[in-house]
Amino acid sequence: MSKNKARDAAYHILQQYFETGRPLGFFIDNLLDPGMLQVDKNLAYNMVKGTVRNWMLLDYGLSRVSDREIKKLDLNVAAILRLGLYQLFFLEKVPSYSIVDESVKLARRYVHVGASKFVNAVLRKAANWKNPIQYLYLLIDQEKAGLEYKLSLKYSFPLWLVEYWFQSYGTATAEKIMQSLNQNPDTFIRFNSVLTRAQVIEKLSLREPRDSVEKQMPPELASINFRVMTLGQIVESQLFREGYLTVQDLSSQIAVKYFLNPKPGEKILDLCAAPGGKSIFASELMKQDGSIVAIDINQAKLAKMEENIERLKLENITLVRDDATKLDSLGTQVFDKVFVDAPCSAWGTISKNPDAKYARDYAEIRRLAQNSYKILSKAAQHVKPGGEVIFYTCTLSPIENQQTINKFLAAFPEYYIPPDLPLSMANLTVDAGVEIMPYYFNSEGGFVCRMVKR
């Protein structure tokens, strides 16, 4: 394995991310050389995600070993230092002298000799710390500040977001959410019901999943899912190419299986549908008996969705490009069920997309909530009497979730939330809907609510 190639790739991605603020996934997709060995890709990927995930903590550590203000540092140097500190603090199996040496070489290659001397001096100070993470936590605990500020630094979440979650969930739950979202999540692979779990594991040469973790999953989903840490082996397999496997997080599977609960013969509308995981799962549960109209405004995502539908050989999904706040393409059509996968702050996905926690503010989440309400209001006009609207987001945000649902129910009194929960689990939080916390299944967090039209 060439750690140099992985570090070079990680540096270029981080430098562009810190300079532009564009979504991290864009740079991973465009700057990670597809010709690299998979092991090098994985290392670069993990270093990039880990550095961004711990950005605020790393900058706090940097402030303790450098007398220069971080905001005045050259962005190239700052990227190298953050990457180096991440390795020193979190990659315990890599010798510290090697990390310092390779970081100095990065600075010499991509900045200048003077910068390399500064990088060397700073990282050597940090390398002399014993148990650096625990030392940093000790320094944070000694800060004369409130708990919100200390946890903001410890878990690298913006202070306003920590305060928002404190107010919404209480101190203990808020910290548990942050702790969970800072861990690497499991990736869920759902397999076609024509195969058994044993057949899938044998064909892909996988290990049987951890029993203690699998038992936490709803049994109907545990029987058609397994967990992996990386996708390379899966997406390159013949089973995947032939349509037997689908990558889909557990929270969205729960929303489809238990809340949408698609039945053969039903007519379903899926709004903001691309890239299509929920429409595809619904089609499979319906045995392709019935119809799904999947609407999205993004043509590129619809094209990707069409590829997945063709790979899986599904014939009852119709793709339509339209604005979900307008739905001009539908005319007076009504449906048995409408699934709204609302655009949101995506905080439930932070474990996979760590940059999501830095990308929003109060004004933005209120705008997102208003947009969701517009979509729900349009969706309500296309449901037949006795039909249902299912509202889903991949975020943990009462302004976007519970408050949006309450506003909708007040404006559309013909809709109500049925008292019986489709999914019976003791740890689900119910308040105008169900929150799926990321620590339930080591998956994405999310919110789902089912509303029936009288």
Side-chain angles (χ1 to χ4, degrees), residues 70-325:
I70 296 169
K71 63 182 179 181
K72 293 182 179 180
L73 289 177
D74 179 276
L75 287 175
N76 303 286
V77 175
I80 292 169
L81 287 172
R82 287 165 178 154
L83 177 59
L85 288 173
Y86 169 73
Q87 295 172 78
L88 286 172
F89 294 165
F90 292 96
L91 301 187
E92 297 177 355
K93 295 182 180 180
V94 182
S96 59
Y97 67 83
S98 175
I99 294 170
V100 174
D101 185 54
E102 293 301 329
S103 299
V104 169
K105 289 178 181 177
L106 278 177
R108 191 175 296 134
R109 276 198 299 275
Y110 298 114
V111 194
H112 50 70
V113 174
S116 69
K117 293 179 180 178
F118 175 68
V119 167
N120 181 63
V122 169
L123 293 184
R124 282 189 180 278
K125 287 183 182 178
N128 288 330
W129 290 349
K130 293 182 179 179
N131 301 318
I133 289 299
Q134 296 305 316
Y135 178 63
L136 277 181
Y137 289 165
L138 177 62
L139 291 177
I140 291 171
D141 287 339
Q142 292 173 349
E143 291 280 349
K144 295 180 179 180
L147 181 60
E148 294 97 329
Y149 176 77
K150 293 178 180 179
L151 293 185
S152 171
L153 289 177
K154 181 178 179 180
Y155 296 110
S156 292
F157 278 79
L159 179 58
W160 78 268
L161 179 53
V162 177
E163 293 171 342
Y164 176 43
W165 279 348
F166 267 39
Q167 294 166 4
S168 301
Y169 302 110
T171 305
T173 299
E175 182 172 7
K176 199 171 180 181
I177 290 171
M178 290 185 285
Q179 185 179 40
S180 177
L181 290 175
N182 269 9
Q183 297 174 354
N184 288 321
D186 288 330
T187 297
F188 293 83
I189 308 296
R190 180 169 50 77
F191 53 89
N192 192 299
S193 57
V194 301
L195 297 174
T196 65
R197 170 182 291 278
Q199 287 174 322
V200 174
I201 289 174
E202 179 183 359
K203 289 179 181 294
L204 294 177
S205 301
L206 297 172
R207 293 181 179 180
E208 180 63 41
R210 303 182 298 276
D211 290 340
S212 60
V213 177
E214 293 300 318
K215 288 178 181 177
Q216 297 173 12
M217 295 169 60
E220 296 91 344
L221 295 181
S223 65
I224 57 171
N225 277 274
F226 57 92
R227 305 165 187 251
V228 295
M229 293 304 294
T230 60
L231 283 175
Q233 176 185 2
I234 304 300
V235 298
E236 295 170 4
S237 69
Q238 185 175 351
L239 286 182
F240 185 85
R241 290 193 299 269
E242 293 179 352
Y244 291 102
L245 307 176
T246 301
V247 181
Q248 186 176 20
D249 194 78
L250 198 66
S251 61
S252 64
Q253 291 189 48
I254 287 172
V256 173
K257 171 68 176 176
Y258 298 99
F259 289 81
L260 180 61
N261 190 23
K263 302 292 185 183
E266 288 183 334
K267 186 179 179 182
I268 293 174
L269 175 63
D270 187 3
L271 298 180
C272 311
K278 286 168 278 294
S279 284
I280 288 168
F281 191 23
S283 175
E284 293 176 354
L285 290 172
M286 297 165 72
K287 310 297 183 186
Q288 297 199 58
D289 180 2
S291 64
I292 299 173
V293 176
I295 289 180
D296 202 280
I297 198 171
N298 189 308
Q299 186 59 51
K301 289 184 178 180
L302 283 174
K304 181 64 175 177
M305 184 173 179
E306 187 170 14
E307 289 179 14
N308 289 329
I309 289 171
E310 291 177 357
R311 179 177 63 84
L312 295 163
K313 303 177 180 64
L314 302 175
E315 298 178 352
N316 68 329
I317 302 176
T318 301
L319 302 184
V320 178
R321 186 182 183 189
D322 199 351
D323 185 339
T325 65

Side-chain angles (χ1 to χ4, degrees), residues 247-452:
V247 181
Q248 186 176 20
D249 194 78
L250 198 66
S251 61
S252 64
Q253 291 189 48
I254 287 172
V256 173
K257 171 68 176 176
Y258 298 99
F259 289 81
L260 180 61
N261 190 23
K263 302 292 185 183
E266 288 183 334
K267 186 179 179 182
I268 293 174
L269 175 63
D270 187 3
L271 298 180
C272 311
K278 286 168 278 294
S279 284
I280 288 168
F281 191 23
S283 175
E284 293 176 354
L285 290 172
M286 297 165 72
K287 310 297 183 186
Q288 297 199 58
D289 180 2
S291 64
I292 299 173
V293 176
I295 289 180
D296 202 280
I297 198 171
N298 189 308
Q299 186 59 51
K301 289 184 178 180
L302 283 174
K304 181 64 175 177
M305 184 173 179
E306 187 170 14
E307 289 179 14
N308 289 329
I309 289 171
E310 291 177 357
R311 179 177 63 84
L312 295 163
K313 303 177 180 64
L314 302 175
E315 298 178 352
N316 68 329
I317 302 176
T318 301
L319 302 184
V320 178
R321 186 182 183 189
D322 199 351
D323 185 339
T325 65
K326 298 177 180 177
L327 298 181
D328 295 331
S329 62
L330 293 182
T332 59
Q333 289 185 72
V334 292
F335 297 81
D336 297 293
K337 295 171 181 175
V338 179
F339 191 97
V340 176
D341 186 356
C344 64
S345 53
W347 289 327
T349 74
I350 286 172
S351 54
K352 292 179 181 176
N353 306 297
D355 55 315
K357 57 184 170 180
Y358 311 115
R360 310 290 185 185
D361 57 22
Y362 260 124
E364 177 68 2
I365 63 171
R366 293 191 181 283
R367 186 197 66 77
L368 288 166
Q370 291 171 358
N371 188 60
S372 293
Y373 177 74
K374 289 179 182 178
I375 296 173
L376 275 174
S377 299
K378 269 298 173 187
Q381 300 171 22
H382 295 278
V383 180
K384 72 178 187 181
E388 301 176 4
V389 172
I390 294 84
F391 179 79
Y392 173 78
T393 72
C394 57
T395 198
L396 301 172
S397 172
I399 291 173
E400 298 171 76
N401 296 332
Q402 290 92 336
Q403 291 182 25
T404 299
I405 292 300
N406 288 332
K407 181 179 178 181
F408 173 79
L409 292 173
F412 293 84
E414 67 271 29
Y415 282 89
Y416 69 96
I417 299 176
D420 58 312
L421 279 177
L423 178 62
S424 178
M425 293 182 61
N427 58 1
L428 289 177
T429 302
V430 182
D431 177 13
V434 170
E435 286 182 321
I436 303 167
M437 294 297 183
Y439 49 81
Y440 289 169
F441 312 111
N442 196 33
S443 68
E444 291 181 0
F447 173 90
V448 61
C449 182
R450 180 170 65 105
M451 294 168 285
V452 179

